[in-house]
């Protein structure tokens, strides 16, 4: 069964450092997403991406965040200068392109900012 | 703001009982709803979905009910098993379009004792 994969599973970084979280969406999917989940809280939408551009983003997704699809398989989330409050689980998801439909989630990357 | 939420943060049941997890949503424009299961340390896993032109949908041991009049969604799990222990989230697709954000509720933690 196809699945979304994410690397690394756990990333520890110092405050102010840049991090790049990586995702490989399901191969025939065209919509890609990043969500985050602060420990013990609900999953929050960050950004959606289609046709090599951002289609929607939340208030959380400020200028410190960027996304990229550098090749035909990877989808990345970059945080330029991490803050303590960026510590969270970051989930990548992907979906097909026909109407509202299931978004498949990856296992997540746990980001710890010290 | 508009949000999706759950009535109870925790639910404890005995193995073999039927479980009912509830969710209230406030966005009348939402027309697609999903239940996700999240086990510890993992990403949300799709359980079942329902579109607003339906009021009931059944899967394997699970049933989702949608009451658009009172903006209420429920997930029924028949013959609950220990492996069903997880956090359950309802989510809505806000704009009846592919590639848009899922809005998650806060989650209900289901604990199944044998």
């Amino acid at each position: 069964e196809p699945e979304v994969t994410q690397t690394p599973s756990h990333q520890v970084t110092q405050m102010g450092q840049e991090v790049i979280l990586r995702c490989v969406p399901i191969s025939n999917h065209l919509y890609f997403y990043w969500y985050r989940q602060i420990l013990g809280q609900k999953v929050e939408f960050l950004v959606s991406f289609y046709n090599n551009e951002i289609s929607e983003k939340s208030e959380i997704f400020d200028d410190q965040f960027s996304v990229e699809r550098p090749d035909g398989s990877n989808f990345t989330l970059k945080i330029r200068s991490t803050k303590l409050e960026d510590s969270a689980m970051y989930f990548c998801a992907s979906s097909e392109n026909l109407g509202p439909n299931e978004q498949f989630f990856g296992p997540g990357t746990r980001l710890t900012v010290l | 703001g508009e949000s999706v939420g759950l009535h109870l943060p925790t639910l404890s049941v005995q193995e073999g009982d039927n479980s009912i997890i509830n969710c209230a949503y406030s966005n009348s424009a939402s027309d697609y709803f999903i239940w996700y299961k999240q086990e510890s340390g993992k990403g949300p896993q799709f359980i079942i979905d329902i579109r607003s032109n339906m009021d009931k949908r059944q899967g394997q041991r699970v049933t989702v009910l949608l009451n658009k009049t009172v903006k209420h969604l429920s997930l029924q799990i028949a013959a609950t098993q220990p492996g069903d222990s997880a956090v359950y989230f309802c989510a809505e697709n806000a704009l009846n379009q592919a590639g848009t954000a899922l809005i998650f509720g806060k989650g209900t933690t289901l604990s199944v004792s044998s």
Side-chain angles (χ1 to χ4, degrees):
Chain A
E1 185 175 336
E3 58 182 15
V4 177
T5 59
Q6 292 184 242
T7 55
S9 57
H10 191 189
Q11 174 86 49
V12 181
T13 189
Q14 295 290 325
M15 188 171 54
Q17 295 297 303
E18 175 183 286
V19 295
I20 298 177
L21 310 183
R22 302 181 190 279
C23 168
V24 179
I26 294 173
S27 61
N28 64 330
H29 287 184
L30 299 179
Y31 287 86
F32 315 114
Y33 313 82
W34 284 101
Y35 291 82
R36 80 171 186 191
Q37 185 179 31
I38 296 171
L39 184 64
Q41 299 187 22
K42 62 182 178 180
V43 177
E44 300 174 290
F45 170 75
L46 293 178
V47 65
S48 61
F49 190 87
Y50 170 71
N51 198 28
N52 283 320
E53 60 182 25
I54 291 173
S55 54
E56 187 179 2
K57 61 182 180 179
S58 71
E59 293 178 352
I60 302 169
F61 194 86
D62 61 23
D63 292 344
Q64 292 299 312
F65 291 88
S66 62
V67 289
E68 189 179 23
R69 187 148 163 87
D71 52 44
S73 60
N74 290 284
F75 179 53
T76 62
L77 174 69
K78 180 191 291 185
I79 309 175
R80 291 189 181 83
S81 178
T82 50
K83 304 185 288 287
L84 295 176
E85 54 266 37
D86 292 328
S87 295
M89 283 290 288
Y90 287 81
F91 294 107
C92 174
S94 68
S95 68
E96 293 181 281
N97 65 335
L98 297 176
N101 55 67
E102 178 186 350
Q103 294 179 19
F104 291 79
F105 284 77
T109 292
R110 179 174 298 284
L111 177 64
T112 301
V113 182
L114 303 176
Chain B
E2 295 171 325
S3 64
V4 176
L6 290 168
H7 292 300
L8 294 175
T10 60
L11 177 65
S12 296
V13 300
Q14 292 287 322
E15 181 178 2
D17 287 350
N18 296 329
S19 302
I20 300 176
I21 300 172
N22 295 303
C23 175
Y25 65 95
S26 58
N27 186 355
S28 299
S30 294
D31 62 356
Y32 179 66
F33 305 88
I34 308 177
W35 280 101
Y36 282 95
K37 172 186 181 182
Q38 187 179 27
E39 296 174 291
S40 181
K42 297 183 180 179
Q45 179 185 5
F46 174 88
I47 303 173
I48 192 168
D49 59 0
I50 189 167
R51 299 190 181 221
S52 60
N53 60 352
M54 304 170 67
D55 54 19
K56 180 179 181 179
R57 190 162 188 225
Q58 288 185 294
Q60 187 178 14
R61 280 202 307 119
V62 294
T63 301
V64 56
L65 299 177
L66 175 62
N67 185 331
K68 295 181 289 293
T69 302
V70 296
K71 300 192 190 71
H72 184 267
L73 192 69
S74 69
L75 176 70
Q76 300 178 2
I77 304 173
T80 314
Q81 301 168 1
D84 294 327
S85 295
V87 181
Y88 289 81
F89 294 93
C90 64
E92 65 180 300
N93 187 277
L95 296 176
N96 192 23
Q97 295 177 14
T100 59
L102 285 175
I103 300 172
F104 282 80
K106 292 183 180 179
T108 290
T109 299
L110 176 65
S111 298
V112 183
S113 53
S114 40

